[in-house]
Amino acid sequence: MRLLAVFATLLAVAAASGRLMTMQEINERRLEAVKRWQTSGSQNVKSGGVQNITFTNPKASEFYVEGKSLPLVDFDVGPSWAGLLPISNSPNETRKLFFWFFPPGPQGSLDDLIFWTNGGPGCSSLAGLLQENGPFTWSWGQAKPTVNQHSWTNLSSVLWVEQPVGTGFSQGIPDAQNEDDIAAQVVGFMQQFLEVFSELKGKKLYLSGESYAGTYVPYIANYIYENPSRLDLSLQGIWISDPLISWYVVQQQIPTADFVKKHASLFSFNQTYMAHLDEMAATCNYTGYMDKYVTYPPKGLLPLPGDSTNFAQGCDIWTDIHNNALIINPSFNIYRIWDTYSLPWDVLGFLGTQSSIYYNLTDVKEAIHAPVDTEWIECTLTHVFPNEDSSSPPALTVLPSVIEKNQRTVIVHGLADFIITADGTRIAIQKSVRNGLQGFQTPIADDSFIVDGVGAYGSMHSERGLTYCEVALGGHMLPEFAPVASFQIMQYLMGFRDTP
């Protein structure tokens, strides 16, 4: 994104007075925008923190979580249900997934259900709940949890699931060989979930997730479409943010040198290293790839830079850049490159800055019915695919047909993400064929993503069932770094607004 647009996003222009708004005024306008939506046209409004919802199956009470007494949370987060459920109804089943379910807030829809999974593979969705889109948030650097004004529970019920087997509190021996196995296990779990919480049957379903969930979610959606009788929910669409949907060489290696040049002041490499980078990119056939092949419409098939789906020997340019960035700034953050100072304290320990991880506190485990003897790690050291994931990337397999079957599909990318870059996602989209055509046929307009009360906040494009959004300053965990933009895009996916 152009430097001018970055400053426009950071400061915003007050049209009435011609002066620059303060950050406090910008935040106030963001909140006002959300409040305006919450008070317009939303149905099923109830008093209190959440809508009234009752589950008649007595087993549901075993999972009930009292929102007034969550440890270290000094406010009522409302009722919720959490615990372990098996991935099948077999009496010998030992594989169980951990979930935490919240009903909608006062303005949320009772007709919809959002499913959220983090990526990894093997990263916990409870991190997404606590630091991204849940009803309370305890993000990096926060001394204590606070109410999340942009919780997705303000839209509908939300179900956070720790999957695959081996992730977080989930139990059992991982045995998934590919994404079809993962999809079958998730749908099996969802069957057991709906037997306990049967009042949710028939709801509209939205699958969502980030990072490696860019692979999980399309395969889960495809499995649901191919097995329509297995799940009593009506799949409407999917959200994948900063997603892995193609080969790593496509989304990490090809665009990385150009990414460094766009953000040269943040990387601060000297001329000698930049010359080395140019030479490396040229040798590996990365130079000029975006200009030559990522056109609108595409001029033909987009080739891989080497003779395989992996990078060639000596062409791991991403790792080379990362290692040298850490020499200059030991706190360099691959998830959001704007974080150039010491990494903040993290209650989940993901940044290595906290010894007492919240989900490892015994009273927290007891409160949410988690196994007390399980050590929770945000991203497991266990191989959730014992023999690696044998599935091909979804952009080349199931994603096109899923887009064709969905009501809406959203791919979102934060422009400050280095681990998977937005240009890599653009390449993946332009390589993919759906509805008889390859990629987007018309260009993505700069500064075309408009956030209510803020203004231009990136770029977006909709075409043939797919909406792609790029979010300025947003990092890899997009709902954490850009909560207002993420909330607005999710509104669009669910049909609560006509444009993102």
Side-chain angles (χ1 to χ4, degrees):
M1 190 179 69
R2 295 171 300 175
L3 186 60
L4 180 61
V6 173
F7 281 110
T9 301
L10 277 172
L11 300 176
V13 176
S17 64
R19 65 175 177 83
L20 296 178
M21 295 187 343
T22 66
M23 289 307 297
Q24 180 179 353
E25 289 172 321
I26 292 173
N27 289 330
E28 288 174 353
R29 290 201 176 190
R30 288 175 177 172
L31 292 176
E32 288 172 2
V34 174
K35 290 177 181 177
R36 282 198 300 272
W37 173 80
Q38 290 178 335
T39 56
S40 63
S42 189
Q43 303 298 315
N44 303 315
V45 176
K46 304 283 186 181
S47 61
V50 298
Q51 295 194 47
N52 295 328
I53 185 167
T54 302
F55 297 111
T56 56
N57 187 333
K59 188 173 178 60
S61 62
E62 300 175 15
F63 300 97
Y64 181 75
V65 177
E66 176 54 66
K68 296 179 182 179
S69 56
L70 279 179
L72 303 182
V73 181
D74 59 6
F75 53 89
D76 185 2
V77 302
S80 61
W81 289 260
L84 288 161
L85 280 171
I87 65 172
S88 76
N89 59 6
S90 169
N92 298 320
E93 183 62 75
T94 58
R95 296 163 299 173
K96 299 178 180 180
L97 302 183
F98 188 86
F99 72 93
W100 199 344
F101 167 82
F102 278 82
Q107 308 298 327
S109 167
L110 287 169
D111 299 324
D112 304 277
L113 173 65
I114 299 171
F115 171 99
W116 172 270
T117 179
N118 280 67
C123 291
S124 167
S125 300
L126 296 189
L129 187 156
L130 191 59
Q131 295 188 331
E132 297 189 65
N133 49 19
F136 65 111
T137 183
W138 200 338
S139 193
W140 300 354
Q142 282 188 234
K144 65 177 185 177
T146 55
V147 175
N148 184 1
Q149 300 291 340
H150 313 295
S151 171
W152 288 6
T153 57
N154 292 331
L155 298 172
S156 75
S157 299
V158 186
L159 175 64
W160 289 267
V161 179
E162 290 190 308
Q163 67 83 38
V165 172
T167 302
F169 289 124
S170 293
Q171 303 287 290
I173 299 174
D175 60 356
Q177 301 301 310
N178 52 46
E179 292 297 326
D180 291 326
D181 289 347
I182 294 296
Q185 291 178 9
V186 168
V187 171
F189 160 83
M190 291 293 289
Q191 288 177 320
Q192 307 311 307
F193 177 80
L194 290 175
E195 288 306 306
V196 177
F197 304 97
S198 57
E199 284 75 9
L200 297 173
K201 289 182 177 181
K203 304 295 185 186
K204 297 177 183 177
L205 176 64
Y206 301 86
L207 299 174
S208 63
E210 69 187 21
S211 192
Y212 203 86
T215 299
Y216 293 149
V217 167
Y219 273 96
I220 296 170
N222 183 69
Y223 186 90
I224 292 172
Y225 282 129
E226 290 189 344
N227 299 274
S229 64
R230 291 207 60 191
L231 196 60
D232 192 358
L233 292 168
S234 177
L235 180 58
Q236 302 293 301
I238 67 172
W239 150 305
I240 45 177
S241 54
D242 296 67
L244 183 68
I245 56 175
S246 187
W247 306 109
Y248 279 106
V249 68
V250 168
Q251 293 194 260
Q252 271 195 340
Q253 304 294 348
I254 293 174
T256 303
D258 287 341
F259 183 89
V260 170
K261 292 177 180 179
K262 286 180 183 178
H263 304 287
S265 62
L266 291 174
F267 284 88
S268 299
F269 291 136
N270 61 32
Q271 292 182 354
T272 301
Y273 182 74
M274 292 303 294
H276 159 74
L277 207 57
D278 284 339
E279 181 179 351
M280 193 174 182
T283 300
C284 298
N285 297 319
Y286 301 156
T287 302
Y289 188 99
M290 293 293 295
D291 291 336
K292 184 175 182 179
Y293 297 112
V294 186
T295 59
Y296 301 87
K299 298 175 183 176
L301 295 177
L302 277 65
L304 291 170
D307 56 6
S308 75
T309 58
N310 203 349
F311 54 81
Q313 185 175 359
C315 289
D316 186 0
I317 194 169
W318 186 92
T319 299
D320 194 273
I321 293 168
H322 182 221
N323 290 343
N324 281 276
L326 289 173
I327 293 173
I328 296 173
N329 174 21
S331 296
F332 177 73
N333 188 349
I334 60 175
Y335 301 102
R336 184 172 60 175
I337 60 171
W338 299 102
D339 298 339
T340 57
Y341 297 100
S342 299
L343 297 176
W345 178 86
D346 178 16
V347 72
L348 297 184
F350 183 62
L351 300 178
T353 55
Q354 166 67 331
S355 56
S356 299
I357 295 173
Y358 184 69
Y359 290 123
N360 272 333
L361 301 177
T362 299
D363 52 354
V364 173
K365 293 178 181 179
E366 292 173 344
I368 62 175
H369 315 295
V372 176
D373 58 349
T374 297
E375 182 183 5
W376 186 91
I377 301 174
E378 183 166 348
C379 292
T380 182
L381 301 178
T382 300
H383 292 291
V384 295
F385 292 98
N387 300 307
E388 304 299 331
D389 184 355
S390 65
S391 296
S392 295
L396 308 176
T397 53
V398 299
L399 182 57
S401 65
V402 167
I403 293 172
E404 293 169 4
K405 294 170 185 175
N406 283 339
Q407 295 296 315
R408 286 179 175 174
T409 299
V410 169
I411 297 177
V412 195
H413 212 107
L415 290 174
D417 184 5
F418 177 67
I419 190 169
I420 300 177
T421 63
D423 276 352
T425 297
R426 286 193 179 208
I427 297 171
I429 291 173
Q430 291 307 94
K431 285 176 69 72
S432 181
V433 177
R434 66 182 191 285
N435 290 310
L437 293 172
Q438 180 181 338
F440 286 141
Q441 300 297 292
T442 56
I444 301 170
D446 291 341
D447 304 328
S448 52
F449 174 45
I450 309 299
V451 175
D452 293 346
V454 177
Y457 208 73
S459 303
M460 62 79 60
H461 187 78
S462 291
E463 196 176 310
R464 305 191 329 277
L466 172 63
T467 296
Y468 174 63
C469 298
E470 292 176 341
V471 182
L473 307 183
H476 191 67
M477 291 73 87
L478 199 72
E480 176 180 1
F481 298 134
V484 180
S486 298
F487 186 89
Q488 181 171 308
I489 295 169
M490 196 66 196
Q491 284 179 287
Y492 166 76
L493 177 68
M494 301 179 73
F496 296 159
R497 57 186 298 138
D498 294 332
T499 59

